[in-house]
């Protein structure tokens, strides 16, 4: 699955790359939460773009929180011009996380989701943009959930000796709420 996603991403980046606008961005809200993010947005046509954003945090907000996520998003701009004013989109989420010491529990798992997004891009200069963004989507997760101090990985294993997830579920939630700063490279 990860290899297929990687190959599709590379194919999208190499198709017609010479005539496209390409921008790099960072999510200021996630950076403030000590989860550095980096994204790339490139035009796919006269009105649409593909934005791929990734983030990683080892000690988010100074707590024992580990998070790694990739969020691909297809955007269609209402103005008819990519990376300018209002847009609607479809967003995905692939994440791996471990939250420790939250109500004396540990949550260690993976999540994936899909949803709809809306945003507004405010051009500060010809190349510098500020993107206000929100989304709502369906997220499915599979995780190990246990109390702090339990030796979960040793006691709850399958036949191969690997620890198994004891909690699965899904929920409707925001996939991304952000303020991003973008710079158009070309």
């Amino acid at each position: 699955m990860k290899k297929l996603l990687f190959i599709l991403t590379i194919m999208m980046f190499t198709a017609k790359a010479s005539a496209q606008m390409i921008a790099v961005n960072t999510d200021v809200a996630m950076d403030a939460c000590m989860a550095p993010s980096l994204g790339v947005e490139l035009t796919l046509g006269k009105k649409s773009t593909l934005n791929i954003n990734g983030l990683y945090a080892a000690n988010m907000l100074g707590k024992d929180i580990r998070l790694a996520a990739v969020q691909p998003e297809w955007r269609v701009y209402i103005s008819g011009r990519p990376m300018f004013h209002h847009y609607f989109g479809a967003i995905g989420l692939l994440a791996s996380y471990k939250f420790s010491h939250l109500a004396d529990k540990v949550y260690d798992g993976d999540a994936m989701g899909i949803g709809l997004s809306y945003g507004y891009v405010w051009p500060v200069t010809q190349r510098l943009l500020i993107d206000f963004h929100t989304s709502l989507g369906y997220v499915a997760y599979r995780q190990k959930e246990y109390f702090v101090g339990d030796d979960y990985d040793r006691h709850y294993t399958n036949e191969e000796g690997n620890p198994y997830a004891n909690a699965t579920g899904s929920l409707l939630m925001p996939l991304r709420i952000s303020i991003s700063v973008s710079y158009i490279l070309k």
Side-chain angles (χ1 to χ4, degrees):
M1 172 78 173
K2 290 179 184 179
K3 288 181 184 179
L4 178 62
L5 181 64
F6 178 74
I7 291 169
L8 289 173
T9 303
I10 295 299
M11 288 173 53
M12 285 185 218
F13 276 109
T14 57
K16 300 182 189 174
S18 61
Q20 295 182 1
M21 275 197 313
I22 298 173
V24 294
N25 62 55
T26 186
D27 185 344
V28 178
M30 292 309 292
D31 293 344
C33 293
M34 300 169 56
S37 69
L38 182 64
V40 175
E41 184 172 2
L42 71 130
T43 58
L44 297 177
K46 292 182 180 180
K47 295 167 92 173
S48 65
T49 64
L50 175 67
N51 184 26
I52 298 176
N53 197 40
L55 64 96
Y56 176 77
N59 288 310
M60 192 168 171
L61 298 171
K63 307 257 186 219
D64 192 9
I65 298 174
R66 180 188 50 82
L67 174 66
V70 175
Q71 295 177 304
E73 180 181 13
W74 175 62
R75 298 176 173 178
V76 176
Y77 287 82
I78 298 171
S79 67
R81 184 172 134 197
M83 298 185 210
F84 189 74
H85 288 213
H86 299 276
Y87 63 86
F88 290 96
I91 187 168
L93 169 71
L94 295 171
S96 178
Y97 58 88
K98 183 173 185 177
F99 306 125
S100 298
H101 303 285
L102 296 177
D104 292 329
K105 280 194 165 186
V106 176
Y107 303 90
D108 183 5
D110 300 309
M112 67 172 52
I114 190 164
L116 299 174
S117 64
Y118 168 76
Y120 181 81
V121 176
W122 176 42
V124 177
T125 68
Q126 189 172 5
R127 292 189 179 266
L128 185 64
L129 312 168
I130 298 177
D131 178 5
F132 302 92
H133 182 95
T134 188
S135 63
L136 183 66
Y138 177 78
V139 177
Y141 63 88
R142 184 185 60 164
Q143 66 189 14
K144 297 182 288 185
E145 182 178 328
Y146 53 95
F147 287 101
V148 173
D150 287 352
D151 194 6
Y152 184 88
D153 291 344
R154 191 168 64 111
H155 295 295
Y156 300 97
T157 59
N158 57 19
E159 293 83 28
E160 291 86 28
N162 299 323
Y164 60 85
N166 62 349
T168 60
S170 60
L171 55 138
L172 190 64
M173 65 179 280
L175 295 179
R176 184 174 174 205
I177 298 174
S178 70
I179 299 172
S180 296
V181 176
S182 299
Y183 184 77
I184 298 175
L185 297 176
K186 73 174 202 175

